[in-house]
Amino acid sequence: MGSSQKEVPLNELKKIFVEKGYPESFFVWNTVIPFSYNSLHFEVKIPLVIKENSKIYFLVDYKPLEKLTFFERGILAVARLFFSPLPYFAIVTNLKEFALIDLHEFNVKKGDISIVPEYRGIKDYIPPQPKKFKPELEKKILAVYLSGG
């Protein structure tokens, strides 16, 4: 998400989710969302969104870093501002390490590929009510995140 210059390995992301049982028809590739805050203008790029009808299971972000470090709060702001209903989860990965972020309760679980839920386990999942948020605060957070701050 954001302004990574390295190409996202879409085939590898696809392989992960196909092996977890997700139909390819659920995959939405390279979503681009324009975002402006005050005089700042950005394009939010999400490599993969996995959705079934109105259920958005995942926002998937790829970080080409040797050691996965990230600001989970940025992807939460994106989910809150641009998706309704709120996606169930976000995944941030470098394809070796994974972070599974519950976007409703904002819990983060880190580990290897095993933390990515199987489709058969998520298709009947009912997420809890999302926490309330202030859109203006989310916009500020996202602007700081996207500007590298």
Side-chain angles (χ1 to χ4, degrees):
M1 186 182 78
S3 59
S4 170
Q5 298 300 315
K6 188 167 182 182
E7 191 170 315
V8 178
L10 300 179
N11 282 338
E12 292 184 50
L13 288 176
K14 175 181 161 182
K15 181 181 174 193
I16 290 166
F17 287 95
V18 167
E19 287 178 357
K20 295 284 186 169
Y22 294 88
E24 287 184 55
S25 61
F26 291 6
F27 301 176
V28 179
W29 298 102
N30 295 314
T31 300
V32 177
I33 304 167
F35 170 67
S36 295
Y37 183 75
N38 294 335
S39 62
L40 302 172
H41 303 284
F42 305 96
E43 281 190 340
V44 176
K45 297 175 184 171
I46 305 169
L48 176 58
V49 176
I50 299 178
K51 63 184 270 182
E52 179 179 16
N53 302 318
S54 65
K55 295 178 186 178
I56 302 173
Y57 297 129
F58 301 101
L59 303 181
V60 182
D61 191 16
Y62 170 74
K63 297 289 185 202
L65 305 169
E66 185 63 33
K67 182 76 174 147
L68 188 62
T69 58
F70 57 92
F71 181 47
E72 300 103 342
R73 197 57 186 80
I75 202 158
L76 176 63
V78 167
R80 286 178 167 174
L81 291 171
F82 300 113
F83 292 88
S84 182
L86 190 66
Y88 294 4
F89 300 97
I91 292 179
V92 179
T93 184
N94 61 6
L95 300 175
K96 295 175 192 147
E97 299 173 275
F98 293 78
L100 177 67
I101 305 162
D102 179 328
L103 296 171
H104 289 254
E105 296 188 333
F106 198 56
N107 295 323
V108 180
K109 183 179 176 183
K110 297 178 184 178
D112 60 19
I113 196 170
S114 66
I115 68 167
V116 177
E118 300 273 342
Y119 174 63
R120 69 177 175 263
I122 203 170
K123 66 181 180 178
D124 296 322
Y125 174 74
I126 299 173
Q129 281 293 98
K131 293 182 178 182
K132 297 206 182 295
F133 67 94
K134 297 178 182 176
E136 195 56 34
L137 177 61
E138 298 300 320
K139 289 176 186 175
K140 285 181 186 178
I141 290 167
L142 185 55
V144 168
Y145 174 78
L146 293 173
S147 62

